[in-house]
Structure formats: C-alpha cells, structure tokens
C-alpha cells in the first residue's frame, strides 16, 4: 500500500498560498482550505504509518515467539546432553574410585597380582573416560 501524499500542492503553489499571518492566524479562506487539506492528508499519512507499524510489530512478535520456541528446544537439548555426559562420566569415575578404595583398604593384604588387577581396572576406566572427553571436545 502506497502512503498518501502529505502536501497536495506543488512547490510553486506554496509561494502563492500563505497559510499563517504575521499575528499567527490564517490569512485567507484559500489558506484555511489548504491548511485543512494538508491536515487531512497528514492525518491519513499518520494513520497509514500507524497501521504499518502495527503490522511490523505483529510480525516481530511472531518472530519473537518462534525464536523463544527454538531457544526452549536448544536449552532442553543442552540439558539432556549435559545429563547424558554426567551419567557417562560418573560410571568410569565410580570404577576408578572403587578400585582405588579397595587398594587403599587392603594394600597390606593384597598380593602383587591383586594390586595390578585393581590398578588395571582404574587405568582402563581412566583411559575410557579420557577417550570419552576427547571425543566430546
């Protein structure tokens, strides 16, 4: 939709039409008509601009809602990802801590073979955890 023209006169006409007198009033009925016509056109233009701005606002609000929905999806996926990573890291660390705790509690009682077995468990779990982290990064 094309906005209405604000001023219905050519520049040459404005020199002929003087709207305001020196005392702040209108000089002639031609000036009053020109002033009224200009005022009507300005009002139409303002109305047109208002509708245009309302439409833009509605479009922006729709875009905002779409972006909010996308953001909520990203946040939910991020929370799920962090939860999975936490779970996947907790398992190997539990194995490492369990093996080391058993070694610590029975270090004097275990043979060298048993100590190697628990150290292998801890080492394997640490390597798997490191591999998992390397794949994530």
């Amino acid at each position: 939709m094309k906005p209405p023209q604000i001023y219905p006169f050519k520049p040459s006409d404005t020199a002929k039409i003087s709207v305001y007198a020196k005392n702040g009033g209108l000089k002639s009925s031609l000036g009053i008509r020109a002033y009224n016509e200009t005022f009507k056109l300005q009002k139409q233009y303002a109305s047109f601009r208002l509708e245009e701005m309302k439409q833009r606002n509605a479009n922006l609000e729709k875009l905002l809602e779409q972006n909010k929905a996308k953001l909520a999806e990203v946040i939910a996926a991020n929370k799920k990802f962090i939860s999975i990573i936490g779970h996947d890291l907790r398992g190997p660390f539990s194995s490492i801590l369990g093996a080391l705790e058993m070694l610590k509690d029975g270090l004097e009682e275990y043979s060298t073979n048993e100590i190697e077995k628990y150290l292998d468990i801890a080492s394997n779990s640490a390597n798997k955890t490191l591999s998992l982290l390397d794949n994530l990064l």
Side-chain angles (χ1 to χ4, degrees):
M1 174 190 245
K2 185 178 176 186
Q5 183 182 357
I6 296 177
Y7 300 103
F9 305 104
K10 296 179 271 188
S12 61
D13 293 339
T14 57
K16 298 174 189 172
I17 302 171
S18 177
V19 178
Y20 292 101
K22 289 180 185 177
N23 63 5
L26 297 171
K27 278 188 172 178
S28 66
S29 63
L30 180 59
I32 292 171
R33 283 195 306 263
Y35 178 79
N36 286 341
E37 186 64 28
T38 301
F39 179 75
K40 285 180 191 176
L41 288 171
Q42 286 174 335
K43 188 176 174 184
Q44 287 175 355
Y45 182 74
S47 177
F48 169 80
R49 291 292 293 160
L50 179 63
E51 289 303 315
E52 184 180 55
M53 297 308 277
K54 284 180 181 178
Q55 183 62 41
R56 284 185 180 184
N57 190 43
N59 290 342
L60 288 173
E61 286 177 355
K62 184 178 178 183
L63 184 61
L64 176 65
E65 290 304 316
Q66 290 171 348
N67 286 338
K68 280 183 181 179
K70 287 179 185 177
L71 180 61
E73 289 175 14
V74 168
I75 290 172
N78 191 31
K79 284 182 179 180
K80 185 174 182 177
F81 176 74
I82 289 171
S83 173
I84 290 169
I85 295 305
H87 179 267
D88 287 351
L89 290 176
R90 191 171 287 124
F93 278 114
S94 294
S95 295
I96 293 169
L97 290 173
L100 292 175
E101 191 68 31
M102 290 179 73
L103 272 175
K104 184 175 115 180
D105 289 345
L107 188 60
E108 296 173 2
E109 301 169 10
Y110 293 132
S111 68
T112 306
N113 287 341
E114 290 175 313
I115 293 173
E116 281 183 19
K117 177 179 134 185
Y118 289 120
L119 287 175
D120 283 341
I121 291 171
S123 178
N124 288 338
S125 291
N127 285 325
K128 287 178 184 178
T129 304
L130 181 62
S131 176
L132 176 65
L133 288 174
D134 285 341
N135 289 335
L136 288 174
L137 302 175

